[in-house]
Amino acid sequence: MESSVLDKLLKFYIKGEWVDPLSDDRMPVLNPASVQQVGEVALGGEADVDRAVAAAAAAFDQFSLSSKAERLDLLARIRAVTERRFEELAQAMRLEMGAPIKMAREAQADAAIGHLDGFVAALEKLEEQERFENGEVLLREPIGVCGLITPWNWPMNQVVLKVLPVIATGCTCVLKPSEHTPVSAMIYAEILDEAGVPAGVFNLVNGVGPVVGGALSRHPDVQMVSFTGSTRAGTAVTRDAADSVKRVTLELGGKSPNLVFADCDLEERVTQSVAECMFNSGQSCDAPTRLLVERSCYDEVVEIARRAAEATAVGNPEEEGDHIGPLFDQIQFDRVQNMIQVGIDEGANLIAGGIGRPKGFETGWFIRPTIFAEVKNTMRVAREEIFGPVLVIIPFDNEEEAVEIANDTPYGLAAYVQTGSAERAARLSRLLRAGAVHINGGAYEYGSPFGGYKASGNGREGGDMGLEDFLETKMVHGLA
């Protein structure tokens, strides 16, 4: 990692310049695999947010009038610079959050290109002016200054899902990335600067959620807040935003069910299901962490899952391969360890993994891939988002009970179904209360909307619907 990028962790990007913070607060940035400090990040305060919002508000007057063609050209320049600095983004996320380098390239950094292409396609077909059959005219206009708050688990994925629709729609913004993963955000700020994003359209202030995130959510000159993170933090953002009646979109937690029926290819589908749960070390809001299994094949599925967990390699993020890496910090490590102990104390059957680090990993926040069988949906390990490589297996007797258990959760981000019956797959797609249903390994594709039901949030990110949250609708009556 170039020292110039790490040096910029002590600055903010405001009005097209790297500026010194008004706050003196700082915190170390650690490599979660080695627990070594790789830098220090400045933590902003309310005055820093005021300065950034003022820059965004001033830039909005001009940028909101830019043409679609001008914004498409700008997105094309952003893509070109992103491609050139792709490896730097991947290495940054390997360094700051422990993403294995292969996965950092193929998923974490790839999102910067894939989502951009999705937004370009959406913008190309966006009708900014539409005449109704009754003769009246509808205008779609940028909502204004947007506060963007992003998490540490998919740093670039979430940054681009918010920053790019801001630029595509003619809005302006202030980004508060996770203070735990600021390096990739700094590189992306450099990318936007080099691509020629006008001064003030994009601004970056690092800091902690209650301070910087709270100041953005409360700010009277911010018209919209887009937040990704925990459900607890999302409710705090909503409360902070209420007095100014600003738009709030939330992408929050999950405890996604994965329904396995005896008529699927059990070896293939269960093995892949375990891999999906463990991907990103289990640190994904839509991870399929509850494996609901038809009782007639339950014992066979438990054995397949056990073998799959034991075959899940844990490794150094710097090394090539399909292994998983560490959790991102000590707090998360301790929380996952505690939840594994909770599962043991609740009487669940530990069939793989357990307390402690994997063999050969005395340093770093590495976790043993863990599976509990004979779990009841009332147990804490079945109801709370653990955010680590921990899977629980719950039996069901019939399809009706499977749906009842699947929907018995405060969350509703994703659901997964493994079945050989196309009719059942179609039927369950309608019955499962979730923002996405994945059938037999069907994956999310760039350009599709992403978001959840219930405590998993509101609004959608990506593609056509990902632009809508950043647009206001205006009706013009009597225009010839």
Side-chain angles (χ1 to χ4, degrees):
M1 192 58 54
E2 292 184 13
S3 60
S4 61
V5 172
L6 297 177
D7 291 342
K8 283 178 180 168
L9 294 177
L10 295 177
K11 293 184 178 293
F12 299 151
Y13 184 78
I14 298 175
K15 204 174 181 179
E17 297 179 347
W18 294 98
V19 301
D20 292 325
L22 300 175
S23 168
D24 295 327
D25 293 341
R26 298 179 177 184
M27 68 170 273
V29 179
L30 303 179
N31 178 331
S34 65
V35 199
Q36 296 296 308
Q37 182 171 333
V38 297
E40 191 174 38
V41 63
L43 302 177
E46 190 167 342
D48 294 294
V49 172
D50 288 342
R51 182 169 54 161
V53 170
F60 180 76
D61 290 343
Q62 186 66 35
F63 192 64
S64 63
L65 301 177
S66 60
S67 69
K68 181 195 290 192
E70 289 171 330
R71 283 176 269 126
L72 285 168
D73 286 345
L74 179 53
L75 290 171
R77 297 199 301 273
I78 293 171
R79 193 187 199 283
V81 182
T82 303
E83 284 184 320
R84 184 165 52 76
R85 302 196 64 180
F86 183 90
E87 182 66 15
E88 290 177 74
L89 287 173
Q91 292 293 345
M93 288 178 281
R94 186 270 306 165
L95 178 73
E96 66 190 356
M97 65 160 293
I101 189 58
K102 180 182 177 184
M103 180 265 197
R105 294 188 187 108
E106 295 180 355
Q108 296 278 6
D110 187 69
I113 301 292
H115 285 307
L116 188 149
D117 290 344
F119 284 124
V120 165
L123 180 57
E124 286 175 337
K125 65 182 178 181
L126 175 69
E127 293 187 47
E128 295 179 311
Q129 179 170 323
E130 179 181 351
R131 186 173 289 275
F132 284 14
E133 291 184 4
N134 63 11
E136 298 186 338
V137 174
L138 179 147
L139 302 180
R140 294 181 177 88
E141 300 181 337
I143 191 170
V145 177
C146 303
L148 314 177
I149 306 171
T150 59
W152 51 263
N153 61 320
W154 285 91
M156 193 47 43
N157 185 78
Q158 294 309 126
V159 165
V160 299
L161 276 171
K162 300 182 191 303
V163 171
L164 292 176
V166 162
I167 294 171
T169 56
C171 295
T172 62
C173 68
V174 178
L175 170 68
K176 189 211 88 65
S178 171
E179 66 274 21
H180 298 285
T181 52
V183 183
S184 54
M186 288 295 181
I187 294 173
Y188 201 65
E190 291 185 339
I191 289 171
L192 298 179
D193 183 79
E194 183 178 342
V197 173
V201 169
F202 168 83
N203 306 273
L204 184 153
V205 176
N206 280 308
V208 299
V211 178
V212 174
L216 278 173
S217 302
R218 293 188 299 269
H219 205 290
D221 294 331
V222 171
Q223 284 75 50
M224 184 264 198
V225 174
S226 178
F227 170 86
T228 299
S230 69
T231 298
R232 175 189 54 78
T235 59
V237 167
T238 303
R239 284 193 297 269
D240 284 339
D243 286 345
S244 52
V245 201
K246 57 172 58 71
R247 184 178 299 172
V248 177
T249 64
L250 305 169
E251 199 271 280
L252 307 176
K255 192 71 176 177
S256 299
N258 187 355
L259 285 59
V260 176
F261 292 88
D263 61 1
C264 75
D265 183 332
L266 292 176
E267 187 71 37
E268 176 187 328
R269 298 308 327 135
V270 174
T271 300
Q272 179 60 29
S273 292
V274 172
E276 285 192 74
C277 177
M278 304 301 172
F279 190 67
N280 203 31
S281 301
Q283 300 171 126
S284 297
C285 48
D286 62 342
T289 53
R290 288 187 298 148
L291 197 68
L292 280 50
V293 180
E294 192 169 10
R295 200 175 295 276
S296 63
C297 62
Y298 184 80
D299 290 343
E300 183 179 358
V301 167
V302 168
E303 177 58 23
I304 295 170
R306 183 193 63 78
R307 292 198 305 267
E310 292 183 349
T312 302
V314 179
N316 186 336
E318 296 182 19
E319 297 174 359
E320 300 285 348
D322 293 322
H323 50 275
I324 65 173
L327 300 182
F328 91 103
D329 81 342
Q330 170 92 52
I331 294 173
Q332 188 63 16
F333 176 85
D334 290 343
R335 184 177 189 280
V336 174
Q337 292 285 309
N338 176 68
M339 287 302 295
I340 293 173
Q341 187 60 55
V342 165
I344 294 170
D345 295 342
E346 287 182 309
N349 180 17
L350 181 68
I351 64 168
I355 296 294
R357 291 177 171 84
K359 186 177 180 181
F361 290 91
E362 287 73 33
T363 302
W365 312 128
F366 294 91
I367 292 278
R368 300 169 68 189
T370 296
I371 298 183
F372 287 103
E374 298 167 38
V375 172
K376 297 181 176 63
N377 203 49
T378 54
M379 293 179 175
R380 283 183 62 192
V381 289
R383 303 202 69 79
E384 298 181 20
E385 187 176 36
I386 298 174
F387 233 56
V390 181
L391 176 68
V392 302
I393 307 181
I394 303 170
F396 65 81
D397 289 315
N398 52 52
E399 186 177 305
E400 183 180 9
E401 185 185 17
V403 172
E404 181 180 350
I405 295 171
N407 290 338
D408 181 18
T409 171
Y411 299 108
L413 189 56
Y416 300 72
V417 177
Q418 320 300 328
T419 179
S421 166
E423 292 79 11
R424 172 182 282 139
R427 187 166 59 244
L428 291 176
S429 296
R430 299 297 299 271
L431 295 174
L432 294 168
R433 299 287 294 168
V437 179
H438 302 262
I439 307 297
N440 294 329
Y444 171 86
E445 299 291 343
Y446 296 126
S448 296
F450 181 89
Y453 290 17
K454 301 187 286 184
S456 290
N458 55 60
R460 293 294 182 269
E461 294 187 310
D464 298 359
M465 295 184 72
L467 296 183
E468 290 176 7
D469 284 334
F470 295 86
L471 293 167
E472 286 282 23
T473 298
K474 175 188 289 180
M475 291 304 304
V476 180
H477 309 281
L479 183 67

